[in-house]
């Protein structure tokens, strides 16, 4: 049985005050709830604050990005060892906003994935196609390229130490959610692709869906056999809404 996993990606939002009440709301709303692994992803600067607030709770925290380099003269970057140093357990790699706004290639994403593993962080690998690619019937090809570049870098075994987030770019922040069937179709494709190389691992790996998930549609998406949870953006900025999604 794969454990359920739900992440809240806060992106570049919030202030000390907002985050403090958001975390409080989540801790209260999820007290005693153990049916899913829950992780929040604040901006780097708020990580120590969130860590302090979460101590004693079962909610984990992670970073939204990590450098592909180990250390050195990389102004503005944050290394995997620094994240590990402050007690981070998870890190997002290859989020579509990183790929599309900052031009991260699959190769760079694979290097970030590898850095995360080297420092015992769990990378959450985000993959997914744009609307143009979907309309051109290239969804499988795009997802395959994104996945295989990582496998080429770290080997299929290492995928077992990650979470995969299928996030169709056209569904992120747009209010356009993939239908449960559309999500299931790609999740099943991802699992089968991994199974071709490592059957046991394909069975165990958590594959979560992201893209306009909210309390109103979470249950029907999470019900799909190959969907193991979600990566939530906008709706994770409201404690009640996020708690409801987690409980779905
Ligand atoms: P959204 O974002 O839920 O706001 O669509 C999801 C994500 O970017 O991970």
């Amino acid at each position: 049985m794969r454990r359920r996993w739900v992440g809240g990606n806060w992106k570049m939002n919030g202030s000390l005050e907002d985050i403090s009440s958001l975390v409080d709301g989540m801790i209260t709303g999820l007290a005693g709830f153990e049916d899913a692994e829950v992780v929040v992803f604040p901006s780097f600067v708020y990580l120590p604050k969130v860590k302090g607030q979460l101590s004693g709770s079962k909610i984990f925290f992670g970073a939204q990005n990590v450098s592909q380099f180990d250390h050195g003269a990389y102004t503005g970057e944050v290394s995997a060892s620094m994240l590990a140093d402050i007690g981070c357990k998870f890190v997002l790699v290859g989020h579509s906003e990183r790929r599309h706004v900052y031009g991260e290639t699959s190769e760079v994403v694979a290097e970030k994935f590898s850095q995360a593993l080297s420092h015992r962080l769990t990378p959450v690998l985000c993959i997914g196609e744009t609307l143009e690619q979907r309309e051109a019937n290239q969804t499988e090809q795009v997802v395959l390229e994104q996945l295989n570049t990582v496998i080429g870098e770290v080997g299929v075994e290492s995928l077992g130490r990650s979470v995969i987030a299928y996030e169709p770019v056209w569904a992120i922040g747009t209010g356009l959610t993939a239908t449960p069937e559309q999500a299931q179709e790609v999740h099943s494709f991802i699992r089968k692709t991994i199974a071709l190389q490592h059957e046991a691992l394909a069975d165990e790996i958590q594959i979560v869906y992201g893209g306009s998930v909210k309390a109103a549609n979470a249950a029907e998406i999470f019900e799909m056999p190959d969907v193991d949870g979600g990566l939530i953006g906008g709706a994770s900025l409201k404690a009640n809404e996020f708690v409801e999604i987690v409980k779905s």
Side-chain angles (χ1 to χ4, degrees):
M1 252 311 258
R2 295 185 294 270
R3 183 127 203 257
R4 297 285 174 154
W5 189 98
V6 183
N9 174 11
W10 297 347
K11 309 192 180 183
M12 198 173 71
N13 291 298
S15 61
L16 274 179
E17 203 182 325
D18 298 338
I19 280 169
S20 168
S21 56
L22 183 56
V23 174
D24 270 348
M26 288 183 185
I27 292 174
T28 313
L30 292 171
F33 181 85
E34 293 189 10
D35 294 348
E37 212 165 356
V38 180
V39 189
V40 293
F41 295 89
S43 292
F44 287 128
V45 289
Y46 297 132
L47 284 168
K49 154 86 181 153
V50 169
K51 174 190 180 179
Q53 235 184 315
L54 287 177
S55 90
S57 91
K58 295 240 157 71
I59 305 173
F60 293 100
F61 63 95
Q64 297 173 15
N65 187 23
V66 63
S67 173
Q68 69 267 46
F69 303 111
D70 193 71
H71 68 280
Y74 301 103
T75 302
E77 291 291 297
V78 174
S79 71
S81 71
M82 292 170 181
L83 295 177
D85 197 23
I86 64 154
C88 252
K89 289 271 182 291
F90 292 87
V91 63
L92 302 182
V93 295
H95 189 278
S96 72
E97 286 146 21
R98 300 298 319 171
R99 293 181 193 262
H100 297 286
V101 183
Y102 297 96
E104 283 183 15
T105 60
S106 291
E107 286 71 26
V108 167
V109 172
E111 287 165 13
K112 291 183 172 202
F113 189 101
S114 170
Q115 272 297 319
L117 289 185
S118 309
H119 294 278
R120 307 198 162 279
L121 299 169
T122 302
V124 180
L125 173 66
C126 306
I127 56 180
E129 80 290 359
T130 62
L131 185 58
E132 218 176 25
Q133 291 164 332
R134 173 162 282 260
E135 285 174 345
N137 273 325
Q138 292 169 345
T139 300
E140 293 190 349
Q141 185 187 325
V142 169
V143 161
L144 204 58
E145 185 271 333
Q146 293 171 337
L147 191 63
N148 278 340
T149 309
V150 170
I151 295 176
E153 176 84 18
V154 299
V156 71
E157 290 271 348
S158 296
L159 269 195
R161 291 159 57 200
S162 73
V163 173
I164 294 179
Y166 168 58
E167 299 205 298
V169 181
W170 48 272
I172 296 179
T174 57
L176 275 180
T177 322
T179 63
E181 293 72 26
Q182 281 173 323
Q184 169 57 25
E185 197 181 355
V186 182
H187 281 233
S188 149
F189 172 74
I190 294 168
R191 210 178 289 289
K192 283 185 187 140
T193 301
I194 299 170
L196 289 176
Q197 301 183 49
H198 196 313
E199 209 167 331
L201 184 86
D203 236 25
E204 285 161 20
I205 193 162
Q206 291 160 313
I207 308 177
V208 303
Y209 169 82
S212 298
V213 176
K214 39 188 188 278
N217 61 21
E220 58 179 24
I221 299 171
F222 296 171
E223 228 165 57
M224 292 288 123
D226 285 302
V227 179
D228 304 313
L231 181 57
I232 322 301
S236 71
L237 293 169
K238 292 178 220 127
N240 290 347
E241 177 96 8
F242 186 68
V243 164
E244 226 183 293
I245 293 171
V246 171
K247 291 186 172 170
S248 307

PDB file of all heavy atoms in Angstrom, residues 9 11 95 97 167 171-174 210-213 231-235, ligand 1:
ATOM      1  N   ASN A   9       2.349  23.954  -1.922  1.00  0.00           N
ATOM      2  CA  ASN A   9       3.390  24.795  -2.512  1.00  0.00           C
ATOM      3  C   ASN A   9       2.924  26.247  -2.418  1.00  0.00           C
ATOM      4  O   ASN A   9       2.066  26.673  -3.175  1.00  0.00           O
ATOM      5  CB  ASN A   9       3.605  24.359  -3.975  1.00  0.00           C
ATOM      6  CG  ASN A   9       4.566  25.261  -4.715  1.00  0.00           C
ATOM      7  OD1 ASN A   9       5.243  26.105  -4.113  1.00  0.00           O
ATOM      8  ND2 ASN A   9       4.643  25.083  -6.028  1.00  0.00           N
ATOM      9  N   LYS A  11       4.567  28.894  -3.071  1.00  0.00           N
ATOM     10  CA  LYS A  11       5.191  29.767  -4.085  1.00  0.00           C
ATOM     11  C   LYS A  11       5.696  31.057  -3.433  1.00  0.00           C
ATOM     12  O   LYS A  11       6.069  31.042  -2.261  1.00  0.00           O
ATOM     13  CB  LYS A  11       4.208  30.019  -5.231  1.00  0.00           C
ATOM     14  CG  LYS A  11       3.641  28.698  -5.764  1.00  0.00           C
ATOM     15  CD  LYS A  11       2.898  28.798  -7.059  1.00  0.00           C
ATOM     16  CE  LYS A  11       2.397  27.410  -7.442  1.00  0.00           C
ATOM     17  NZ  LYS A  11       1.705  27.390  -8.740  1.00  0.00           N
ATOM     18  N   HIS A  95       9.684  22.217 -10.949  1.00  0.00           N
ATOM     19  CA  HIS A  95       8.339  22.779 -11.034  1.00  0.00           C
ATOM     20  C   HIS A  95       8.212  23.529 -12.357  1.00  0.00           C
ATOM     21  O   HIS A  95       9.174  24.142 -12.827  1.00  0.00           O
ATOM     22  CB  HIS A  95       8.075  23.729  -9.849  1.00  0.00           C
ATOM     23  CG  HIS A  95       6.645  24.155  -9.799  1.00  0.00           C
ATOM     24  ND1 HIS A  95       6.162  25.177 -10.580  1.00  0.00           N
ATOM     25  CD2 HIS A  95       5.581  23.670  -9.113  1.00  0.00           C
ATOM     26  CE1 HIS A  95       4.861  25.303 -10.355  1.00  0.00           C
ATOM     27  NE2 HIS A  95       4.483  24.400  -9.474  1.00  0.00           N
ATOM     28  N   GLU A  97       7.036  26.261 -13.164  1.00  0.00           N
ATOM     29  CA  GLU A  97       7.413  27.681 -13.153  1.00  0.00           C
ATOM     30  C   GLU A  97       8.932  27.826 -13.225  1.00  0.00           C
ATOM     31  O   GLU A  97       9.444  28.801 -13.780  1.00  0.00           O
ATOM     32  CB  GLU A  97       6.816  28.358 -11.908  1.00  0.00           C
ATOM     33  CG  GLU A  97       5.311  28.565 -12.080  1.00  0.00           C
ATOM     34  CD  GLU A  97       4.481  28.448 -10.815  1.00  0.00           C
ATOM     35  OE1 GLU A  97       5.028  28.583  -9.709  1.00  0.00           O
ATOM     36  OE2 GLU A  97       3.263  28.197 -10.943  1.00  0.00           O
ATOM     37  N   GLU A 167       2.077  17.358 -13.089  1.00  0.00           N
ATOM     38  CA  GLU A 167       1.412  18.655 -13.076  1.00  0.00           C
ATOM     39  C   GLU A 167       1.303  19.199 -14.495  1.00  0.00           C
ATOM     40  O   GLU A 167       2.240  19.819 -15.005  1.00  0.00           O
ATOM     41  CB  GLU A 167       2.211  19.648 -12.226  1.00  0.00           C
ATOM     42  CG  GLU A 167       2.358  19.217 -10.784  1.00  0.00           C
ATOM     43  CD  GLU A 167       2.594  20.429  -9.887  1.00  0.00           C
ATOM     44  OE1 GLU A 167       3.601  21.123 -10.068  1.00  0.00           O
ATOM     45  OE2 GLU A 167       1.745  20.684  -9.033  1.00  0.00           O
ATOM     46  N   ALA A 171      -2.910  23.323 -16.317  1.00  0.00           N
ATOM     47  CA  ALA A 171      -3.844  23.246 -15.184  1.00  0.00           C
ATOM     48  C   ALA A 171      -3.330  24.010 -13.967  1.00  0.00           C
ATOM     49  O   ALA A 171      -4.037  24.147 -12.971  1.00  0.00           O
ATOM     50  CB  ALA A 171      -4.079  21.782 -14.816  1.00  0.00           C
ATOM     51  N   ILE A 172      -2.091  24.501 -14.037  1.00  0.00           N
ATOM     52  CA  ILE A 172      -1.500  25.142 -12.862  1.00  0.00           C
ATOM     53  C   ILE A 172      -1.920  26.594 -12.748  1.00  0.00           C
ATOM     54  O   ILE A 172      -1.647  27.404 -13.648  1.00  0.00           O
ATOM     55  CB  ILE A 172       0.040  25.027 -12.895  1.00  0.00           C
ATOM     56  CG1 ILE A 172       0.436  23.545 -12.808  1.00  0.00           C
ATOM     57  CG2 ILE A 172       0.663  25.816 -11.755  1.00  0.00           C
ATOM     58  CD1 ILE A 172       1.913  23.304 -12.858  1.00  0.00           C
ATOM     59  N   GLY A 173      -2.622  26.896 -11.668  1.00  0.00           N
ATOM     60  CA  GLY A 173      -3.025  28.265 -11.394  1.00  0.00           C
ATOM     61  C   GLY A 173      -4.059  28.814 -12.366  1.00  0.00           C
ATOM     62  O   GLY A 173      -4.341  30.002 -12.387  1.00  0.00           O
ATOM     63  N   THR A 174      -4.652  27.947 -13.167  1.00  0.00           N
ATOM     64  CA  THR A 174      -5.578  28.414 -14.197  1.00  0.00           C
ATOM     65  C   THR A 174      -7.032  28.135 -13.838  1.00  0.00           C
ATOM     66  O   THR A 174      -7.940  28.642 -14.499  1.00  0.00           O
ATOM     67  CB  THR A 174      -5.310  27.678 -15.532  1.00  0.00           C
ATOM     68  OG1 THR A 174      -5.439  26.265 -15.290  1.00  0.00           O
ATOM     69  CG2 THR A 174      -3.923  27.973 -16.051  1.00  0.00           C
ATOM     70  N   GLY A 210      -0.945  17.540  -9.519  1.00  0.00           N
ATOM     71  CA  GLY A 210      -1.037  18.960  -9.183  1.00  0.00           C
ATOM     72  C   GLY A 210      -1.599  19.765 -10.331  1.00  0.00           C
ATOM     73  O   GLY A 210      -1.358  19.454 -11.507  1.00  0.00           O
ATOM     74  N   GLY A 211      -2.360  20.796 -10.010  1.00  0.00           N
ATOM     75  CA  GLY A 211      -2.940  21.679 -11.026  1.00  0.00           C
ATOM     76  C   GLY A 211      -4.376  21.982 -10.682  1.00  0.00           C
ATOM     77  O   GLY A 211      -5.261  21.179 -10.944  1.00  0.00           O
ATOM     78  N   SER A 212      -4.576  23.144 -10.020  1.00  0.00           N
ATOM     79  CA  SER A 212      -5.921  23.613  -9.662  1.00  0.00           C
ATOM     80  C   SER A 212      -6.729  22.617  -8.814  1.00  0.00           C
ATOM     81  O   SER A 212      -7.952  22.529  -8.965  1.00  0.00           O
ATOM     82  CB  SER A 212      -6.703  24.038 -10.913  1.00  0.00           C
ATOM     83  OG  SER A 212      -6.050  25.110 -11.559  1.00  0.00           O
ATOM     84  N   VAL A 213      -6.035  21.893  -7.940  1.00  0.00           N
ATOM     85  CA  VAL A 213      -6.769  21.031  -7.000  1.00  0.00           C
ATOM     86  C   VAL A 213      -7.356  21.929  -5.918  1.00  0.00           C
ATOM     87  O   VAL A 213      -6.697  22.837  -5.414  1.00  0.00           O
ATOM     88  CB  VAL A 213      -5.849  19.981  -6.342  1.00  0.00           C
ATOM     89  CG1 VAL A 213      -6.615  19.166  -5.292  1.00  0.00           C
ATOM     90  CG2 VAL A 213      -5.246  19.064  -7.394  1.00  0.00           C
ATOM     91  N   LEU A 231      -0.191  17.864  -5.167  1.00  0.00           N
ATOM     92  CA  LEU A 231       0.653  19.026  -4.878  1.00  0.00           C
ATOM     93  C   LEU A 231      -0.232  20.244  -5.133  1.00  0.00           C
ATOM     94  O   LEU A 231      -0.705  20.455  -6.249  1.00  0.00           O
ATOM     95  CB  LEU A 231       1.897  19.036  -5.778  1.00  0.00           C
ATOM     96  CG  LEU A 231       2.879  20.194  -5.544  1.00  0.00           C
ATOM     97  CD1 LEU A 231       3.369  20.237  -4.094  1.00  0.00           C
ATOM     98  CD2 LEU A 231       4.083  20.078  -6.486  1.00  0.00           C
ATOM     99  N   ILE A 232      -0.465  20.996  -4.064  1.00  0.00           N
ATOM    100  CA  ILE A 232      -1.493  22.028  -4.099  1.00  0.00           C
ATOM    101  C   ILE A 232      -0.857  23.412  -4.050  1.00  0.00           C
ATOM    102  O   ILE A 232      -0.068  23.688  -3.144  1.00  0.00           O
ATOM    103  CB  ILE A 232      -2.441  21.886  -2.866  1.00  0.00           C
ATOM    104  CG1 ILE A 232      -2.721  20.404  -2.508  1.00  0.00           C
ATOM    105  CG2 ILE A 232      -3.727  22.677  -3.061  1.00  0.00           C
ATOM    106  CD1 ILE A 232      -3.350  19.582  -3.595  1.00  0.00           C
ATOM    107  N   GLY A 233      -1.209  24.271  -4.986  1.00  0.00           N
ATOM    108  CA  GLY A 233      -0.686  25.636  -4.996  1.00  0.00           C
ATOM    109  C   GLY A 233      -1.656  26.583  -4.309  1.00  0.00           C
ATOM    110  O   GLY A 233      -1.747  26.633  -3.078  1.00  0.00           O
ATOM    111  N   GLY A 234      -2.424  27.305  -5.104  1.00  0.00           N
ATOM    112  CA  GLY A 234      -3.322  28.343  -4.587  1.00  0.00           C
ATOM    113  C   GLY A 234      -4.151  27.921  -3.381  1.00  0.00           C
ATOM    114  O   GLY A 234      -4.234  28.654  -2.383  1.00  0.00           O
ATOM    115  N   ALA A 235      -4.739  26.735  -3.452  1.00  0.00           N
ATOM    116  CA  ALA A 235      -5.640  26.297  -2.379  1.00  0.00           C
ATOM    117  C   ALA A 235      -4.897  25.934  -1.096  1.00  0.00           C
ATOM    118  O   ALA A 235      -5.519  25.717  -0.053  1.00  0.00           O
ATOM    119  CB  ALA A 235      -6.483  25.113  -2.861  1.00  0.00           C
TER     120      ALA A 235
HETATM  121  P1  LIG B   1      -2.233  25.353  -8.319  1.00  0.00           P
HETATM  122  O1  LIG B   1      -0.651  25.076  -8.376  1.00  0.00           O
HETATM  123  O2  LIG B   1      -2.814  24.373  -7.350  1.00  0.00           O
HETATM  124  O3  LIG B   1      -2.352  26.776  -7.885  1.00  0.00           O
HETATM  125  O4  LIG B   1      -2.738  25.126  -9.710  1.00  0.00           O
HETATM  126  C1  LIG B   1      -0.145  23.774  -8.311  1.00  0.00           C
HETATM  127  C2  LIG B   1       1.359  23.823  -8.334  1.00  0.00           C
HETATM  128  O5  LIG B   1       1.923  24.736  -8.947  1.00  0.00           O
HETATM  129  O6  LIG B   1       2.025  22.959  -7.727  1.00  0.00           O
END
